[in-house]
């Protein structure tokens, strides 16, 4: 690397690049254990705590599993989130819009209090940021991007866009699906274009959602109504509609009332009339998986390592598990006096996380292909399959067990 005056370099134990939910969760897990962390975030400022979870619902929401809830409770942030706005869902209905097949899930059948919570991303992030703000060993650097990543000996050096240099034994990239850090580290990324765009907005419905998440598979792709409660009124939903680019463009061009009519029609009016209450956003969908998660002194977490189709709402949950497992491996190693950059430690993290992430990516791609087919034989098979699974309680319980995050060896913070 370029020779530097070491006195001009800010030294720390871990540098986390990316201040979203996954990066901030990792920062909090390390920070509470006394690790010195610098978190670098391109956003100009943290989320305004007083505005998160107030007024109309935010466009970006996540379906947090009970396992993710336990992780956030461990950090002490869940009560802050619940004090703002979280919506539990106890039931889920999935049906084929081109047939008669349908399957229902319930928390009672799964033996859990609820299947999960729909939470606005701003609510989760504001609570996490308040958590790390109280940690004296955590420094957050807002409004800056990394322009260079270099290695010298057992330390990593990152250069910011204001020419400051920071150094640590370990750099973690939590900077999203397009991760510049992943490219700087020379890690290849396998990309599979789905041919779909996601249409996202918020709505108010004629009938209350009853704590049920609903998803219908249409010819163009799945349409999800994710329940939200605003000011104690359980008649709001976040909409995620995955469809072809042409159809997404058409839907986005509609007036709010015409889009509401389309949503009601294509969801079989499951919640009656639909009123669109926010702007409509559309973006292309792709599944990505990094060829490797780690290199000496470097690791990927969250969307920087993997991103998947949103039809199961598992993306952020996989990322939170990445953060929890990586933190567990790092803290165990630190207690043994091992270097945080030790490739063996980082390889253990990858071995624990890659199989689960790979399986979920494959499952989501399989669902996308099965429900996107126009072949009559496969359409009949999927309808029969949905209805058959709905009749077998033991199989449904297994599926729900997987969907609630209870998979494999969970980190201690999630048990």
């Amino acid at each position: 690397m370029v020779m530097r005056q070491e006195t001009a370099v800010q030294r720390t134990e871990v540098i986390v690049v990316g201040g979203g939910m996954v990066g901030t969760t990792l920062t909090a897990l390390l920070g509470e254990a006394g690790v010195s962390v610098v978190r670098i975030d391109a956003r100009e400022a943290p989320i305004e705590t007083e505005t998160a979870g107030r007024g109309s619902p935010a466009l970006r929401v996540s379906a947090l599993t009970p396992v993710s809830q336990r992780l956030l409770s461990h950090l002490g942030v869940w009560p802050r989130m619940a004090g703002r706005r979280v919506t539990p869902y106890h039931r889920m209905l999935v049906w084929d819009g081109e047939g008669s097949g349908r399957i229902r899930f319930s928390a009672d059948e799964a033996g859990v209090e609820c299947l999960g919570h729909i939470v606005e991303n701003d609510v989760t992030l504001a609570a996490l940021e308040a958590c790390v703000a109280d940690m004296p060993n955590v420094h957050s650097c807002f409004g800056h991007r990394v322009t260079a990543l270099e290695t010298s000996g057992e330390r990593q050096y990152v250069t910011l866009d204001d020419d400051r240099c920071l150094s640590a034994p370990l750099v973690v990239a939590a900077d999203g699906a397009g991760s510049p850090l992943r490219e700087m580290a020379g890690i290849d990324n396998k990309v599979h274009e789905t041919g779909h765009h996601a249409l996202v907005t918020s709505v108010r419905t004629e009938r209350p959602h009853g704590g049920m998440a609903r998803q219908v598979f249409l010819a163009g792709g799945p349409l999800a109504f994710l329940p939200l409660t605003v000011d104690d009124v359980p008649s709001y939903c976040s909409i995620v509609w995955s469809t072809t680019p042409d159809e997404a463009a058409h839907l986005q061009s509609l007036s709010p009332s015409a889009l509401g009519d389309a949503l009601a029609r294509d969801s079989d009016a499951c919640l009656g009339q639909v009123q669109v209450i926010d702007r409509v956003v559309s973006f292309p969908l792709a599944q990505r998986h990094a060829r490797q998660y780690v290199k000496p002194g470097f690791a990927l977490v969250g969307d920087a390592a993997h991103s998947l189709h949103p039809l199961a709402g598992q993306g952020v949950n996989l990322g939170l598990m990445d953060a929890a497992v990586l933190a567990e491996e790092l803290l165990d190693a630190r207690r043994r006096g091992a270097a945080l950059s030790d490739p063996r430690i980082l390889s253990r993290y990858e071995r624990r996380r890659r199989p689960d992430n790979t399986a979920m990516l494959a499952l989501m791609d399989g669902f996308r292909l099965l429900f996107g087919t126009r072949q009559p034989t496969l359409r009949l098979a999927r309808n029969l399959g949905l209805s058959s699974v709905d009749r077998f309680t033991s199989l449904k319980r297994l599926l729900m067990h997987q969907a609630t995050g209870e998979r494999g060896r969970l980190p201690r913070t999630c048990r």
Side-chain angles (χ1 to χ4, degrees):
M1 64 169 285
V2 177
M3 295 299 294
R4 302 178 183 274
Q5 290 292 330
E6 199 62 28
T7 54
V9 176
Q10 181 180 344
R11 297 168 68 90
T12 188
E13 289 185 270
V14 177
I15 298 171
V16 176
V17 181
M21 291 183 286
V22 173
T24 308
T25 296
L26 176 63
T27 299
L29 289 167
L30 297 175
E32 72 166 357
V35 178
S36 175
V37 184
V38 173
R39 180 182 61 139
I40 301 169
D41 195 336
R43 291 176 300 141
E44 290 298 323
I47 296 290
E48 288 286 344
T49 304
E50 292 305 313
T51 60
R54 299 290 190 239
S56 298
L59 277 180
R60 298 184 64 192
V61 306
S62 296
L64 297 177
T65 66
V67 171
S68 293
Q69 180 185 353
R70 292 200 293 268
L71 171 62
L72 296 167
S73 296
H74 164 84
L75 288 170
V77 303
W78 187 262
R80 298 180 183 182
M81 295 164 58
R84 292 291 172 171
R85 190 154 60 202
V86 301
T87 303
Y89 58 98
H90 305 89
R91 297 176 296 156
M92 184 182 300
L93 173 63
V94 180
W95 74 100
D96 192 332
E98 296 191 299
S100 59
R102 61 180 52 216
I103 184 170
R104 300 170 181 82
F105 300 101
S106 74
D108 289 341
E109 287 179 300
V112 295
E113 183 178 340
C114 69
L115 295 176
H117 289 80
I118 305 300
V119 188
E120 294 152 73
N121 290 2
D122 285 356
V123 170
T124 303
L125 188 52
L128 285 165
E129 286 179 342
C131 175
V132 299
D134 293 335
M135 297 178 177
N137 50 311
V138 171
H139 175 69
S140 294
C141 183
F142 286 98
H144 291 286
R145 299 178 184 274
V146 174
T147 58
L149 172 68
E150 303 167 288
T151 302
S152 179
E154 294 185 353
R155 297 190 72 82
Q156 307 296 313
Y157 292 79
V158 299
T159 303
L160 302 186
D161 52 10
D162 61 358
D163 291 331
R164 274 184 295 166
C165 183
L166 294 82
S167 169
L170 177 65
V171 172
V172 181
D175 52 344
S179 178
L181 264 290
R182 184 184 60 228
E183 293 188 11
M184 292 179 194
I187 295 178
D188 290 334
N189 194 37
K190 182 180 179 181
V191 181
H192 174 65
E193 300 294 343
T194 66
H196 277 184
H197 280 212
L199 197 79
V200 177
T201 191
S202 300
V203 302
R204 184 165 184 173
T205 57
E206 181 182 7
R207 294 194 291 272
H209 52 65
M212 175 185 283
R214 294 167 170 85
Q215 185 163 254
V216 54
F217 284 91
L218 304 168
L223 164 61
F225 280 68
L226 306 177
L228 293 170
T229 299
V230 178
D231 296 330
D232 297 323
V233 178
S235 298
Y236 292 82
C237 287
S238 176
I239 298 296
V240 183
W241 194 342
S242 173
T243 188
T244 64
D246 288 345
E247 180 65 9
H250 167 68
L251 292 168
Q252 196 170 12
S253 73
L254 296 177
S255 66
S257 60
L259 178 57
D261 291 343
L263 286 164
R265 180 190 67 241
D266 286 3
S267 65
D268 299 331
C270 61
L271 291 172
Q273 294 180 350
V274 177
Q275 177 188 2
V276 177
I277 61 171
D278 206 340
R279 70 188 192 281
V280 181
V281 175
S282 176
F283 52 89
L285 295 173
Q287 292 204 159
R288 300 174 176 86
H289 205 184
R291 303 285 184 180
Q292 61 191 100
Y293 290 4
V294 300
K295 297 180 75 171
F298 184 84
L300 301 171
V301 293
D303 283 355
H306 47 78
S307 57
L308 70 166
H309 197 289
L311 68 89
Q314 287 295 314
V316 71
N317 296 294
L318 296 180
L320 292 175
M321 289 307 100
D322 291 348
V325 170
L326 179 58
E328 182 170 271
E329 292 294 345
L330 292 174
L331 295 177
D332 286 350
R334 190 170 182 260
R335 283 189 285 269
R336 298 194 303 268
L340 297 182
S341 59
D342 189 330
R344 293 170 296 181
I345 298 166
L346 299 177
S347 292
R348 279 198 291 272
Y349 154 67
E350 179 165 12
R351 286 197 301 271
R352 287 179 64 181
R353 289 305 303 147
R354 180 174 280 278
D356 185 40
N357 293 333
T358 300
M360 190 59 69
L361 283 161
L363 180 62
M364 292 306 98
D365 206 39
F367 270 116
R368 181 184 64 83
L369 293 172
L370 178 61
F371 283 92
T373 183
R374 308 294 296 180
Q375 296 183 24
T377 303
L378 289 178
R379 288 168 60 184
L380 176 61
R382 78 191 182 204
N383 273 277
L384 292 173
L386 279 175
S387 298
S388 296
V389 170
D390 194 43
R391 291 193 293 269
F392 289 100
T393 304
S394 58
L395 181 55
K396 283 174 64 176
R397 189 176 291 116
L398 175 62
L399 291 173
M400 286 185 285
H401 193 70
Q402 295 288 311
T404 54
E406 303 284 357
R407 303 184 300 271
R409 173 190 165 196
L410 292 176
R412 292 185 293 273
T413 51
C414 302
R415 296 173 191 164

